[in-house]
Amino acid sequence: MFFENREDAGSQLSQLLKKYKNMPVVVYALPRGGVPVAAEIARFLEAPIDLIFAHKIGHPYQPEYAIAAISESGHMIGPSLEISESIGNDWLEMQKTDQLNEIKRKREKYLNGRKNISVENKIAILVDDGIATGLTMIVGINELKDRHPKKIVVAVPVAPRRTSNLIKTMVDDFVGIEVDDYDFLGAVGAYYKEFNQVEDDEVIEILNSEYKRNLDK
């Protein structure tokens, strides 16, 4: 195991992001798993935290296998032509609608009406608890570009080399701890001693605490 838990992963990543301390930064999490990681980074950098919503679309016969991803404003990647032909357009459209509705639910529940933090002319650091296929991260990057940051940094504890190389072409900086060449363990959770599902209540508690921290600054 490389990380005790998501907080440990965030603490380790923070040390690799020291150069962004005392700079105009907004830390973005991909919820839910990215929130505890991003919170550690936000506290270390003394920066505000916000969310980028992006959901994977799983294969109808193997839901854990991501074939596509969609962001809050509709940026989408995948599925491949071959998979599209096998699943049918009606099924895919239904999934897109379902995921956008779930994103809307999460925004309302997690942020409780709080508006997006302005990142124009600032550095945006986009964080998740790890990358496998990279689909949600890619649409998350495209979503973040719509907010016109000065610079986009992706920070993750673990990623396959091939995926990280692709993401590097899309952003200004990529920070990772375990970027494996050929021996990626197949699932992000394999790199953690504790990798429990992050529940809605935990996300809300973290975000409320961080919101108060920034008000008190």
Side-chain angles (χ1 to χ4, degrees):
M1 302 298 174
F2 297 93
F3 310 108
E4 286 290 321
N5 50 34
R6 290 180 178 89
E7 289 77 12
D8 176 41
S11 179
Q12 291 190 45
L13 272 175
S14 296
Q15 297 304 310
L16 301 180
L17 293 163
K18 282 181 179 178
K19 61 185 175 182
Y20 295 111
K21 201 160 188 177
N22 301 317
M23 297 178 74
V25 168
V26 179
V27 179
Y28 288 89
L30 286 170
R32 291 175 295 206
V35 174
V37 185
E40 293 292 323
I41 295 169
R43 285 191 285 268
F44 177 80
L45 296 178
E46 298 181 6
I49 188 170
D50 204 349
L51 301 180
I52 289 289
F53 292 94
H55 277 197
K56 73 175 183 179
I57 296 174
H59 193 282
Y61 305 120
Q62 194 177 350
E64 288 305 309
Y65 172 55
I67 59 172
I70 189 167
S71 73
E72 183 173 17
S73 63
H75 289 288
M76 189 164 175
I77 182 171
S80 67
L81 179 60
E82 181 181 0
I83 291 176
S84 294
E85 289 175 347
S86 69
I87 61 177
N89 190 61
D90 288 348
W91 180 89
L92 184 59
E93 288 301 317
M94 184 175 65
Q95 290 298 308
K96 288 165 62 175
T97 299
D98 287 349
Q99 294 306 322
L100 288 172
N101 285 338
E102 176 63 8
I103 286 172
K104 183 179 179 181
R105 180 196 73 82
K106 285 183 176 178
R107 169 170 284 282
E108 291 171 352
K109 187 166 186 177
Y110 296 168
L111 296 175
N112 194 28
R114 293 197 290 269
K115 297 190 180 300
N116 293 334
I117 296 172
S118 174
V119 73
E120 195 164 351
N121 296 319
K122 298 177 185 177
I123 298 165
I125 301 179
L126 183 56
V127 181
D128 204 355
D129 56 12
I131 294 175
T133 65
L135 296 178
T136 52
M137 180 60 75
I138 290 168
V139 295
I141 291 166
N142 289 332
E143 183 80 14
L144 190 49
K145 285 180 177 180
D146 289 346
R147 303 190 190 185
H148 309 294
K150 179 181 180 181
K151 182 175 184 177
I152 296 178
V153 180
V154 166
V156 290
V158 59
R161 177 77 62 183
R162 183 177 178 181
T163 306
S164 66
N165 285 343
L166 173 61
I167 288 172
K168 284 176 184 178
T169 67
M170 302 179 65
V171 298
D172 301 288
D173 190 10
F174 178 91
V175 176
I177 298 171
E178 291 299 327
V179 181
D180 289 338
D181 286 298
Y182 303 107
D183 54 351
F184 181 68
L185 298 178
V188 169
Y191 290 81
Y192 287 80
K193 183 176 180 180
E194 176 190 305
F195 197 70
N196 299 328
Q197 179 169 303
V198 179
E199 301 294 344
D200 284 353
D201 288 347
E202 182 179 351
V203 171
I204 293 165
E205 182 180 354
I206 291 171
L207 293 177
N208 286 345
S209 174
E210 288 300 295
Y211 181 66
K212 184 178 184 300
R213 175 178 65 82
N214 280 285
L215 285 179
D216 292 342
K217 284 174 65 175

